[in-house]
Amino acid sequence: MTQRNALLAIHLGALLFGLSGIFGKLAATTPNMIAGGRAFFAVLALSLAALLWRSRNAVRPSLRQMVLLILGGLLLGTHWVTFFEAVKISGVAIATLGFASFPAFTVLLEGLLFRERTRPSEFAMVGVVCVGLILVTPEFSLDSSATTGLLWAVLSGFLFALLSLLNRASTRGLDPVKAALYQNVAVLICFLPLAWPLLPSVRPVDWLWLAMLGIFCTGLAHSLFVASLRVLKARTTAVIFALEPVYGILFAWWLFSEQPTLRMLAGGMLIVSAIFVSARMAR
């Protein structure tokens, strides 16, 4: 893969991740069913990717790593449920911007769990993200559906930050695609009992949206991300992934007429700018 192709791949991956909220809103079913269906199709897509990109030097996970991967699967599934709950309550734009707070949680949790020194610029990034989140909602009140949805989305971002740090501690030496496959299998096993009673009520068109979520927004997006990291620097990919909320908001505006207010745009600009600057400063 050339650098140009890697840049195209990472932009496509960010676009696909940004479309997760769109397909989640189109699927007229519960967040538990969305998480289970997404995991089912993701397992199919990631299994194919693992077969196509087999490595002769692949390392089998140890017992400790398998336990941590299963725990990661639980975090991943819960992250999906909270995110799609936010989409159902408050719309794609607010849910996507709330989830975009996860780098701020990552900074704080890294300092606590890994005892790494947090730079003043990173504390400033956390503060800017908090201000942006307050501006995202029309009124910050628990009686408002927008605020409730934002809180679900922020919880989703917190869980994703925990998942990222758990992966950092558990997947060292493992093939990233296979690690993602193991975690999605764990999600599928955990959510199958919750999703099974809902299967008769799922419309054929909803299966299409679940397939899009699992195959494209999970399997293909993750594979593109992994492939691009072989050519690009990690901080370059992080900067590009800061565009994920932008893609989600633009598609929600186009498809669902979720026109963002000036207050929401200002909050979104603060959040995306903080992520962008933090990624540029990362080493």
Side-chain angles (χ1 to χ4, degrees):
M1 178 178 285
T2 64
Q3 186 166 3
R4 180 183 177 184
N5 289 338
L7 286 170
L8 291 173
I10 198 65
H11 273 287
L12 179 57
L15 173 62
L16 292 173
F17 278 128
L19 288 174
S20 296
I22 302 295
F23 294 131
K25 182 165 184 174
L26 288 171
T29 184
T30 66
N32 285 335
M33 183 64 222
I34 294 174
R38 181 178 187 175
F40 172 75
F41 288 106
V43 167
L44 297 180
L46 290 167
S47 298
L48 179 60
L51 287 174
L52 293 176
W53 294 345
R54 280 186 299 181
S55 174
R56 295 179 180 179
N57 300 322
V59 178
R60 290 186 177 182
S62 63
L63 178 60
R64 175 181 174 277
Q65 286 178 316
M66 283 302 300
V67 171
L68 292 177
L69 286 170
I70 293 172
L71 178 59
L74 294 176
L75 282 174
L76 177 63
T78 311
H79 149 66
W80 283 348
V81 169
T82 52
F83 176 73
F84 291 121
E85 185 70 27
V87 169
K88 299 293 184 184
I89 294 175
S90 60
V92 176
I94 290 178
T96 305
L97 288 171
F99 163 69
S101 64
F102 82 86
F105 287 118
T106 304
V107 166
L108 296 176
L109 291 172
E110 273 185 332
L112 291 174
L113 300 178
F114 292 95
R115 297 183 179 179
E116 294 181 353
R117 180 176 174 271
T118 305
R119 295 171 296 177
S121 60
E122 292 173 326
F123 279 119
M125 184 269 286
V126 173
V128 171
V129 168
C130 291
V131 174
L133 288 173
I134 293 174
L135 290 176
V136 161
T137 54
E139 56 172 342
F140 200 79
S141 169
L142 293 179
D143 295 329
S144 168
S145 61
T147 303
T148 304
L150 178 65
L151 292 176
W152 276 108
V154 171
L155 176 58
S156 174
F158 174 74
L159 293 171
F160 191 78
L162 283 177
L163 174 63
S164 301
L165 297 178
L166 181 67
N167 284 342
R168 173 182 169 182
S170 64
T171 60
R172 183 170 298 175
L174 299 181
D175 178 76
V177 173
K178 287 188 177 179
L181 173 60
Y182 296 144
Q183 288 182 338
N184 277 273
V185 169
V187 175
L188 180 59
I189 293 173
C190 291
F191 279 85
L192 189 59
L194 299 175
W196 188 264
L198 301 172
L199 290 179
S201 63
V202 180
R203 305 173 303 169
V205 69
D206 292 333
W207 284 112
L208 171 63
W209 306 133
L210 295 178
M212 298 290 281
L213 269 172
I215 296 172
F216 293 102
C217 298
T218 308
L220 179 58
H222 187 86
S223 300
L224 289 171
F225 177 70
V226 171
S228 64
L229 279 177
R230 296 176 180 176
V231 179
L232 302 175
K233 294 180 180 179
R235 62 180 177 179
T236 302
T237 60
V239 169
I240 295 172
F241 263 82
L243 297 172
E244 179 188 341
V246 178
Y247 290 135
I249 291 171
L250 289 176
F251 274 96
W253 191 349
W254 176 40
L255 294 174
F256 307 125
S257 299
E258 291 186 9
Q259 183 174 353
T261 63
L262 288 177
R263 178 187 172 106
M264 186 186 298
L265 287 174
M269 283 294 294
L270 285 176
I271 295 171
V272 173
S273 298
I275 298 170
F276 184 86
V277 172
S278 177
R280 290 289 294 178
M281 296 177 66
R283 298 184 185 277

